[in-house]
Amino acid sequence: MDITVPLHKESDRSQKEDRVSLLKSVWLLHDLPESTTQHFADKSVAKRHEKGRLLFMQGEEAEWFYLIVRGRVKLFHETIEGTEAVIDVRSDGDIFGELCIFDQQRYSHSAEIIETTEYLMIPISLLQYYMDKHKQIAMNMLMKMSRQQQVQSREIEHLNVQNAPQRIGCFLLRLCPDDNLSAPVQLNLPYDKTLIAARLGMKPETFSRALLKLRQDIGIEVSGSIIHIPSTASLTEYTCNHCSQSIKCKE
Amino acid sequence: MDITVPLHKESDRSQKEDRVSLLKSVWLLHDLPESTTQHFADKSVAKRHEKGRLLFMQGEEAEWFYLIVRGRVKLFHETIEGTEAVIDVRSDGDIFGELCIFDQQRYSHSAEIIETTEYLMIPISLLQYYMDKHKQIAMNMLMKMSRQQQVQSREIEHLNVQNAPQRIGCFLLRLCPDDNLSAPVQLNLPYDKTLIAARLGMKPETFSRALLKLRQDIGIEVSGSIIHIPSTASLTEYTCNHCSQSIKCKE
């Protein structure tokens, strides 16, 4: 036991250092004093769960917000009739659930793990405490929320003016490297097609038909989760001419 | 001249008082010192323009944000191919253009007057100045933006899971008084049908077909800009069962 305790302490210390450096990189805690980030690290709880784990439900009272260390989480709404609308899919380094501090401490959406995910749970009360103390947190949130508002505006725009193949085109272009527009690109879809369809506001059958159209129109080939794009330049023209943003926007 | 000058000054003073009390009621300036609101009133410029006036274009460098005293303004994006996506329609007491302070002082959308509108132009630099000074402005913005984010999330949800008649139903319910759900309601559409269709992400012909469906399904009658709803309870059931929000949400 004399041997294991120091070893255990050593591993604890290195885990804490990892956690502090991870928290420092999160937009919410940018430019805060070291002691504040350390306090967040001390009070956070690390967890790991498999696909299918429901983290919280829309309307539930909120005690924690979440930081994804590694994995993927689906944020969604469910209608009274039971239809699910996928609001977003978050991954490594993303946080979610923090906005409940402006909504009477209740979650405005549900969250479910969609692949094995390591995450930190951080007390909302701690965020509230430091928000009163450091104006920087409010400024960090404002910067992020104004960007998110633009992303949502673009999403509404696309749902209004783009057809299904164009919306899939936009999704694929965001996964492409920026460097060589004329070279062919091979991609792995980040999550399953049913979820991508839901995220883009399509029924699975619309999604399949749209992929077929993308194959006919610009030769995109799909094999399982692998996508082959012969020319991102053609895909950009096909998609981004039907968008108000500048070409090769990434968010 | 001796007579007109004091009269002119008197009218100036009362106009300024009106302006201060209007600015005080705007969410952005809630709970700020009187002297700050007065400074905003002093520096703002009052204007009035007819339908069709373009206030600013997406991407333009921003010097002002806007407060609508009376009237209506359409906020929109335009794709490279020239299709317009209506992001929002703002009216009395609403502000817009203020978010450019987080986006390198550039407007993220265009704005056009859609009916005779009186408005105030307020310097962005003044907002920036007081934002550094009073944390309250950042807090006011955060409260508003978190609500707007929920409204946009719901809009994305509706575009994903609701059909056209349900989306029109939701739009109409927001115009209905809350008091008596079973009584018939007569409404005046707030702006023309083409714009409502665009705001709801529909082509005009889809909008017309959806109105026909609303007539068949729950007896809604349309005559010009007047809408007769026999029972808001039926319309609520028809629409809100396909939404994740609580019944009779208003925003």
Side-chain angles (χ1 to χ4, degrees):
Chain A
M1 249 181 75
D2 275 340
I3 296 164
T4 58
V5 171
L7 268 176
H8 180 67
K9 274 188 181 163
E10 186 55 41
S11 123
D12 266 8
R13 196 187 309 142
S14 109
Q15 267 184 27
K16 198 192 147 183
E17 275 166 16
D18 284 357
R19 208 178 278 188
V20 170
S21 83
L22 177 65
L23 283 164
K24 261 189 203 165
S25 71
V26 173
W27 59 263
L28 183 65
L29 306 179
H30 273 180
D31 292 328
L32 290 182
E34 182 82 18
S35 59
T36 306
T37 321
Q38 290 219 349
H39 199 182
F40 273 95
D42 288 341
K43 293 290 181 188
S44 64
V45 179
K47 298 253 181 179
R48 183 178 186 280
H49 279 107
E50 308 298 310
K51 179 178 172 172
R53 170 87 178 196
L54 192 68
L55 294 175
F56 54 77
M57 295 270 286
Q58 177 175 359
E60 218 174 86
E61 210 169 317
E63 266 185 78
W64 309 89
F65 70 100
Y66 294 74
L67 165 60
I68 303 176
V69 181
R70 199 168 291 104
R72 238 177 266 276
V73 173
K74 168 179 81 175
L75 312 183
F76 64 102
H77 287 167
E78 206 165 15
T79 69
I80 295 174
E81 292 234 318
T83 313
E84 194 178 285
V86 178
I87 296 303
D88 207 355
V89 175
R90 300 283 167 92
S91 62
D92 304 10
D94 288 339
I95 62 171
F96 57 92
E98 80 286 5
L99 290 184
C100 63
I101 57 170
F102 305 114
D103 197 26
Q104 295 156 328
Q105 229 96 315
R106 288 187 185 274
Y107 297 115
S108 66
H109 52 74
S110 307
E112 185 187 312
I113 287 178
I114 57 163
E115 65 181 43
T116 306
T117 296
E118 293 170 37
Y119 58 97
L120 294 182
M121 294 168 70
I122 308 164
I124 288 289
S125 54
L126 196 69
L127 178 59
Q128 191 74 65
Y129 172 78
Y130 279 112
M131 192 139 170
D132 292 341
K133 214 165 154 159
H134 300 305
K135 190 183 171 188
Q136 188 59 40
I137 294 188
M139 297 315 290
N140 289 344
M141 284 189 133
L142 278 172
M143 285 302 290
K144 184 68 172 186
M145 281 169 80
S146 81
R147 274 204 298 277
Q148 281 174 338
Q149 193 157 335
Q150 285 186 36
V151 171
Q152 281 190 319
S153 286
R154 188 181 52 213
E155 205 169 325
I156 292 170
E157 175 197 313
H158 286 188
L159 285 163
N160 284 347
V161 305
Q162 289 192 345
N163 61 29
Q166 286 158 352
R167 298 215 301 280
I168 296 176
C170 178
F171 181 84
L172 294 177
L173 281 171
R174 282 166 203 289
L175 303 172
C176 289
D178 278 331
D179 43 359
N180 190 345
L181 282 181
S182 54
V185 170
Q186 190 138 308
L187 291 174
N188 251 309
L189 292 179
Y191 38 91
D192 74 63
K193 287 183 202 152
T194 320
L195 184 56
I196 297 176
R199 176 71 190 89
L200 297 175
M202 297 172 203
K203 297 216 167 67
E205 55 273 24
T206 313
F207 186 76
S208 300
R209 274 198 304 273
L211 281 181
L212 212 66
K213 185 97 176 65
L214 281 169
R215 180 171 157 180
Q216 286 164 0
D217 290 352
I218 43 171
I220 287 180
E221 297 285 346
V222 186
S223 156
S225 71
I226 295 170
I227 303 270
H228 178 83
I229 304 169
S231 150
T232 50
S234 311
L235 183 57
T236 303
E237 195 181 332
Y238 187 85
T239 299
C240 305
N241 284 357
H242 302 271
C243 176
S244 68
Q245 307 285 304
S246 19
I247 303 286
K248 277 285 157 203
C249 59
K250 287 262 164 114
E251 190 75 40
Chain B
M1 250 183 68
D2 276 340
I3 297 163
T4 57
V5 171
L7 267 175
H8 180 67
K9 276 190 178 161
E10 186 56 42
S11 124
D12 266 7
R13 194 183 312 140
S14 107
Q15 267 184 27
K16 196 190 151 184
E17 276 166 15
D18 284 357
R19 209 177 278 187
V20 170
S21 81
L22 177 65
L23 283 164
K24 260 189 205 165
S25 71
V26 173
W27 60 262
L28 183 65
L29 306 179
H30 273 180
D31 293 328
L32 290 182
E34 181 82 18
S35 60
T36 305
T37 322
Q38 289 218 349
H39 198 183
F40 274 94
D42 289 340
K43 294 291 181 187
S44 65
V45 179
K47 299 255 181 176
R48 183 177 187 280
H49 278 108
E50 309 298 312
K51 179 178 171 170
R53 169 88 179 195
L54 192 68
L55 294 175
F56 55 77
M57 294 271 286
Q58 176 175 359
E60 218 174 86
E61 210 170 317
E63 264 185 78
W64 309 89
F65 70 100
Y66 294 76
L67 165 60
I68 303 176
V69 180
R70 202 168 291 103
R72 236 177 269 274
V73 173
K74 169 179 80 174
L75 312 183
F76 64 103
H77 287 168
E78 206 166 13
T79 69
I80 295 174
E81 293 235 317
T83 313
E84 194 178 286
V86 178
I87 297 302
D88 207 356
V89 174
R90 300 281 166 94
S91 62
D92 304 8
D94 288 337
I95 63 172
F96 57 93
E98 80 286 6
L99 289 185
C100 63
I101 56 169
F102 305 113
D103 197 26
Q104 294 156 330
Q105 228 94 319
R106 289 189 183 273
Y107 297 115
S108 65
H109 52 74
S110 307
E112 184 187 313
I113 287 178
I114 57 164
E115 66 182 44
T116 306
T117 295
E118 294 170 36
Y119 58 98
L120 294 182
M121 293 167 71
I122 308 164
I124 287 288
S125 54
L126 196 69
L127 179 59
Q128 191 74 65
Y129 172 79
Y130 279 113
M131 191 137 170
D132 292 340
K133 215 166 153 156
H134 301 305
K135 189 182 171 188
Q136 188 59 40
I137 294 189
M139 297 314 291
N140 289 343
M141 283 188 133
L142 278 173
M143 286 302 290
K144 184 68 173 186
M145 282 168 79
S146 82
R147 274 203 299 276
Q148 280 174 338
Q149 193 157 339
Q150 286 187 36
V151 171
Q152 281 190 319
S153 287
R154 188 181 53 213
E155 206 170 325
I156 292 169
E157 174 196 314
H158 286 187
L159 285 162
N160 285 347
V161 305
Q162 289 192 346
N163 60 28
Q166 286 158 352
R167 298 215 301 279
I168 297 177
C170 178
F171 180 85
L172 294 177
L173 281 171
R174 282 166 202 287
L175 303 171
C176 290
D178 277 331
D179 43 0
N180 191 342
L181 282 183
S182 55
V185 171
Q186 191 138 306
L187 291 174
N188 251 308
L189 291 178
Y191 39 92
D192 74 62
K193 286 183 203 151
T194 320
L195 184 56
I196 297 177
R199 177 72 190 88
L200 297 176
M202 297 172 204
K203 299 216 165 68
E205 55 273 25
T206 312
F207 187 76
S208 300
R209 275 198 304 272
L211 282 182
L212 213 67
K213 184 96 175 67
L214 280 170
R215 180 170 158 183
Q216 286 164 1
D217 290 352
I218 43 172
I220 287 180
E221 296 286 345
V222 186
S223 157
S225 71
I226 295 170
I227 304 270
H228 179 83
I229 303 169
S231 151
T232 51
S234 310
L235 183 57
T236 302
E237 195 181 332
Y238 187 85
T239 299
C240 305
N241 284 357
H242 302 270
C243 175
S244 68
Q245 308 285 303
S246 20
I247 304 286
K248 277 284 159 205
C249 59
K250 287 260 163 114
E251 189 72 40

